[in-house]
Amino acid sequence: DQQVKQNSPSLSVQEGRISILNCDYTNSMFDYFLWYKKYPAEGPTFLISISSIKDKNEDGRFTVFLNKSAKHLSLHIVPSQPGDSAVYFCAAYFSGTYKYIFGTGTRLKVLA
Amino acid sequence: GAVVSQHPSWVICKSGTSVKIECRSLDFQATTMFWYRQFPKQSLMLMATSNEGSKATYEQGVEKDKFLINHASLTLSTLTVTSAHPEDSSFYICSAGGTDTQYFGPGTRLTVL
């Protein structure tokens, strides 16, 4: 049972345009949602998180939106840069369990 | 931000040997660390939760006798792959952190010949 889903395995975007990465989840008990960026042969790097009590969190070019009724979150990158090309994972977290459940990742390619 | 290191970054071993991978939190104490495994084109799979001073908690389907975890101090957890086989070849990643974030180590690529 995949509790966190990223239905788009890949995405290509022109440099300077907006990248939108989507993530759906099934369990309404999740407290936090996080996005990670991963380059090949490296560990994931934390990007941005959002608490379940918020619907938006912004950090520079990265904004995460949370729609609890739809059990959906998205990561917006504006403007996209070639260095943003990587695999992006969303993750969901239960307070008290320290258990992070990851989506399958979306490979973003930003074209120069 | 917080730093988590792993050693070694890449290891090649013969089938049947054991390999130890270290995960260290460099500037903070971690009572809990996590070990993941990543297969090509797949997500990170949580293998186990490493608890300082107590036994690790393994996810369903992960052989605890094969993947030995020791969390000897608040800054070090080790994963030992015992009697490694080619199917154990993978990218192993650890993480540690707080409630709203996790810091990941750079990963260890294990190749079993």
Side-chain angles (χ1 to χ4, degrees), chain A residues 6-75:
Chain A
Q6 292 176 258
N7 292 318
S8 298
S10 64
L11 174 68
S12 291
V13 172
Q14 283 295 131
E15 181 179 7
R17 307 293 287 268
I18 184 172
S19 295
I20 300 177
L21 298 117
N22 294 304
C23 181
D24 297 296
Y25 62 97
T26 57
N27 195 327
S28 58
M29 299 296 289
F30 290 130
D31 296 315
Y32 279 97
F33 302 90
L34 309 95
W35 283 95
Y36 291 87
K37 175 179 177 179
K38 185 180 183 302
Y39 293 111
E42 292 183 13
T45 304
F46 170 72
L47 271 179
I48 192 169
S49 65
I50 187 167
S51 165
S52 60
I53 63 173
K54 294 186 175 180
D55 54 21
K56 178 182 175 182
N57 188 23
E58 191 172 352
D59 184 3
R61 295 187 298 113
F62 302 92
T63 303
V64 57
F65 295 92
L66 176 62
N67 182 336
K68 281 178 290 185
S69 61
K71 295 191 177 68
H72 176 84
L73 70 155
S74 60
L75 174 68

Side-chain angles (χ1 to χ4, degrees), chain A residues 34 36 38 43 46 98 100 103, chain B residues 34 38 43 99-100 102 104 106:
Chain A
L34 309 95
Y36 291 87
K38 185 180 183 302
F46 170 72
Y98 294 101
Y100 289 80
Chain B
F34 302 91
Q38 185 183 32
S43 181
T99 300
D100 59 350
Q102 278 285 298
F104 286 82

Side-chain angles (χ1 to χ4, degrees), chain B residues 13-56:
Chain B
C13 69
K14 291 183 179 179
S15 185
T17 61
S18 294
V19 174
K20 180 186 282 189
I21 302 169
E22 293 184 350
C23 176
R24 293 183 187 273
S25 57
L26 297 185
D27 54 1
F28 66 102
Q29 294 183 329
T31 55
T32 304
M33 290 183 174
F34 302 91
W35 286 96
Y36 301 84
R37 180 174 176 174
Q38 185 183 32
F39 295 92
K41 299 182 181 179
Q42 294 184 15
S43 181
L44 297 172
M45 183 194 80
L46 178 64
M47 298 175 66
T49 303
S50 172
N51 304 299
E52 188 269 334
S54 65
K55 290 182 179 180

